[in-house]
Amino acid sequence: MRSCEHYRFIERHRPYRDLTFKFYSDGALTIIDNNAESVVTPKELKGESLDFYVRKRISFIKNDLAAKKQKYA
């Protein structure tokens, strides 16, 4: 069973997108534009939403590596 971490991010500058980031335990990612009810790719992110994505992705990878290290060490 794959688990999922949800994060909501609302941009403070135009276009003021309301985004939901779903990081799955298997490494998959889904980004949803809550206003347009559509899926967004990481390529479409800019500015603070891109920064948010990168920081959360790095954090997710670090936590995953730490968990694997603890499990197999």
Side-chain angles (χ1 to χ4, degrees), residues 1-6 22-28 60:
M1 182 173 147
R2 72 182 196 173
S3 61
C4 178
E5 293 181 23
H6 297 273
K22 294 181 180 182
F23 293 93
Y24 296 93
S25 58
D26 63 359
F60 182 81

Side-chain angles (χ1 to χ4, degrees), residues 15-62:
Y16 305 110
R17 290 190 295 185
D18 179 359
L19 304 170
T20 297
F21 293 81
K22 294 181 180 182
F23 293 93
Y24 296 93
S25 58
D26 63 359
L29 167 73
T30 304
I31 305 170
I32 301 169
D33 183 329
N34 296 316
N35 295 328
E37 297 182 1
S38 63
V39 175
V40 177
T41 65
K43 283 192 217 179
E44 297 174 70
L45 299 175
K46 295 178 184 173
E48 61 186 349
S49 59
L50 178 60
D51 184 59
F52 177 83
Y53 161 70
V54 169
R55 289 178 189 276
K56 288 297 181 186
R57 179 59 113 184
I58 290 170
S59 174
F60 182 81
I61 291 169
K62 283 182 179 180

